[in-house]
């Protein structure tokens, strides 16, 4: 670091994104991207929007906001559009946390939460997951802090029921509960329906996973109108043109093609079940994932060495070094052909062993 970096930021530990290699072709099963291209309607809409890139994008995201509101049967004033769901999460840390209102989240969850807290100088507490990596909802009842829960969780893929989330929200009426639903479209239940009942619930989602738009960077939040107004205050004080014109248009386009999205999600869920069953035959243990990835370990294979060997063989998965999960690898669910290639590589590794 340079000698000019503020002491306030010198201890910041940044988030480590998944590898995006250049120069070699890999089967990428490491960053939970969709294996399928965006809807043709999204691509066409983005291309048309490119003709007006000399103009600023609409700071109100009016057309996109209305499309999201229509899909979820809510009012447009209950929606905020952002540069990926990371941005709305960051806004939530800024808006609803401070020295007197710490953040709280599980010890094993999305790695950006502690980064957002540290960068915004917000104290935070982590609550250990149970031994089976599930959340004990009793740990969050009446806790009196701003709660962040990824549901399904990452990197485990385990999901809470809406009724369980509701218990947490209802027991913390004076604090905001943020439910990060980045992976909700792969078999779990959304809590959006609760936002009309509870004024302290914020639900965030993304176009990156189920809608094949990771490269476009588009997310959104849904909540009570006053909560969303708070987030807009942060947005307008940060960057009112946070969603570019092509991304906005692509978002509208893909929302007009929900059949395409649902078909892709169904296929990914089928491939997830197939791969999980095949891994189980090979001695792997895994969590009950409701996301577009599998979180798995094999007692006879070191998790880090397995990751390295698969990388040598041209397959990228995600390995985490935290002690509780260092035996595991997170495997994005790709096409059937990609999953078969992974299984073939694992068969070869099991045959040859790791050295």
């Amino acid at each position: 670091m340079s000698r000019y970096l503020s002491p306030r930021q010198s201890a910041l530990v940044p988030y480590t994104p998944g590898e995006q290699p250049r120069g070699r072709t890999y089967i990428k099963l490491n960053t939970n991207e969709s294996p399928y291209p965006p809807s043709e309607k999204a691509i066409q809409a983005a291309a048309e929007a490119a003709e007006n890139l000399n103009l600023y994008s609409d700071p109100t995201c009016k057309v996109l906001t209305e499309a999201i509101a229509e899909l979820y049967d809510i009012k447009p004033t209950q929606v905020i559009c952002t540069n990926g769901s990371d941005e709305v999460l960051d806004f939530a840390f800024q808006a609803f946390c401070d020295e007197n209102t710490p953040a709280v989240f599980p010890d094993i969850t999305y790695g950006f939460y502690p980064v957002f807290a540290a960068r915004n100088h917000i104290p935070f507490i982590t609550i250990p997951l149970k031994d089976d990596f599930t959340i004990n909802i009793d740990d969050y009842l009446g806790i009196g802090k701003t709660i962040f829960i990824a549901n399904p969780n990452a990197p485990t893929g385990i999901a809470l029921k809406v009724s369980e989330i509701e218990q947490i929200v209802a027991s913390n009426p004076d604090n905001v509960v943020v439910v990060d639903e980045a992976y909700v479209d792969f078999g779990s239940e959304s809590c959006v329906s609760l936002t009309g009942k509870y004024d302290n619930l914020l639900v965030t989602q993304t176009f990156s996973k189920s809608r094949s738009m990771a490269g476009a960077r588009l997310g959104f939040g849904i909540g009570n109108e006053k909560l969303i107004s708070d987030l807009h205050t942060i947005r307008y004080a940060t960057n009112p043109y946070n969603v570019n014109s092509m991304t906005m248009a692509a978002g509208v386009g893909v929302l007009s093609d929900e059949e395409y999205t649902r078909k892709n999600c169904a296929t990914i869920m089928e491939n997830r079940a197939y791969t999980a069953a095949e891994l189980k035959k090979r001695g792997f243990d895994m969590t009950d994932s409701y996301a577009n990835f599998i979180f798995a370990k094999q007692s006879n294979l070191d998790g880090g060495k397995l990751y390295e060997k698969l990388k040598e063989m041209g397959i990228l998965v995600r390995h985490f070094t935290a002690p509780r999960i260092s035996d595991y690898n997170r495997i994005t669910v790709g096409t059937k052909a990609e999953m078969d290639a992974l299984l073939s590589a694992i068969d070869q590794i099991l045959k040859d062993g790791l050295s």
Side-chain angles (χ1 to χ4, degrees):
M1 66 184 67
S2 80
R3 60 192 175 95
Y4 304 105
L5 182 65
S6 167
R8 296 184 69 202
Q9 305 296 347
S10 60
L12 187 63
V13 179
Y15 174 74
T16 302
E19 297 168 89
Q20 296 288 351
R22 301 291 185 267
R24 176 180 174 181
T25 301
Y26 287 91
I27 294 176
K28 281 188 84 278
L29 305 177
N30 66 322
T31 49
N32 301 338
E33 297 147 319
S34 173
Y36 306 110
S39 161
E40 286 291 335
K41 293 182 179 180
I43 295 171
Q44 181 61 37
E48 293 173 2
E51 298 177 3
N52 294 306
L53 288 182
N54 57 306
L55 303 175
Y56 282 110
S57 58
D58 174 14
T60 70
C61 302
K62 183 178 186 295
V63 178
L64 176 59
T65 296
E66 290 175 348
I68 294 171
E70 181 178 358
L71 178 65
Y72 290 96
D73 192 25
I74 54 177
K75 294 181 288 187
T77 48
Q78 291 179 258
V79 180
I80 182 172
C81 298
T82 54
N83 190 307
S85 60
D86 287 339
E87 187 175 54
V88 69
L89 290 166
D90 190 19
F91 289 168
F93 272 90
Q94 295 177 58
F96 308 125
C97 306
D98 55 30
E99 311 79 40
N100 300 315
T101 310
V104 62
F105 40 83
D107 64 333
I108 298 172
T109 191
Y110 184 32
F112 232 137
Y113 297 163
V115 178
F116 289 142
R119 188 169 64 78
N120 292 303
H121 308 287
I122 293 164
F124 67 92
I125 297 167
T126 59
I127 298 178
L129 297 177
K130 294 192 289 186
D131 289 343
D132 62 359
F133 297 138
T134 59
I135 289 174
N136 182 356
I137 65 169
D138 291 342
D139 291 336
Y140 296 85
L141 299 181
I143 199 169
K145 298 172 177 63
T146 303
I147 298 170
F148 291 83
I149 294 178
N151 194 52
N153 198 10
T156 66
I158 298 172
L160 291 174
K161 298 177 181 178
V162 169
S163 60
E164 293 173 314
I165 296 287
E166 184 170 13
Q167 289 183 59
I168 295 172
V169 175
S171 73
N172 290 279
D174 297 322
N175 295 90
V176 173
V177 177
V178 180
V179 181
D180 177 357
E181 294 186 344
Y183 302 100
V184 74
D185 292 323
F186 300 102
S188 64
E189 301 174 276
S190 174
C191 292
V192 167
S193 62
L194 297 179
T195 58
K197 183 177 180 181
Y198 297 96
D199 65 0
N200 63 324
L201 173 62
L202 175 67
V203 176
T204 69
Q205 290 193 21
T206 179
F207 283 66
S208 295
K209 319 300 182 185
S210 60
R211 293 186 169 87
S212 304
M213 285 178 50
R217 311 308 304 130
L218 181 60
F220 60 97
I222 293 175
N224 175 272
E225 291 175 277
K226 291 182 179 180
L227 275 190
I228 297 303
S229 178
D230 294 339
L231 296 175
H232 278 303
T233 297
I234 302 295
R235 182 173 74 86
Y236 275 96
T238 306
N239 178 13
Y241 303 106
N242 61 326
V243 181
N244 71 70
S245 299
M246 292 177 68
T247 290
M248 207 181 301
V252 174
V254 76
L255 289 176
S256 71
D257 200 0
E258 274 294 287
E259 182 179 352
Y260 178 80
T261 294
R262 297 304 147 200
K263 180 180 177 181
N264 286 343
C265 289
T267 301
I268 289 169
M269 286 187 280
E270 289 171 6
N271 292 348
R272 180 183 67 202
Y274 163 75
T275 306
E278 290 299 316
L279 287 173
K280 188 173 182 179
K281 293 176 185 177
R282 291 158 173 81
F284 280 79
D285 295 313
M286 63 212 77
T287 57
D288 187 14
S289 176
Y290 283 84
N292 66 335
F293 56 79
I294 294 167
F295 195 55
K297 69 173 182 177
Q298 216 271 15
S299 58
N300 296 318
L301 297 175
D302 177 271
K305 290 182 178 179
L306 176 59
Y307 153 76
E308 292 288 353
K309 188 62 178 179
L310 286 170
K311 185 176 180 180
E312 289 176 15
M313 300 171 75
I315 299 175
L316 289 178
V317 297
R318 187 77 188 267
H319 181 253
F320 299 89
T321 58
R324 290 187 68 189
I325 57 174
S326 60
D327 291 336
Y328 286 80
N329 282 291
R330 191 193 67 193
I331 304 165
T332 302
V333 178
T335 64
K336 176 70 160 41
E338 288 173 331
M339 306 321 289
D340 282 335
L342 169 75
L343 294 168
S344 294
I346 288 173
D347 286 340
Q348 190 64 47
I349 291 169
L350 290 172
K351 177 181 177 182
D352 298 341
L354 290 172
S355 58

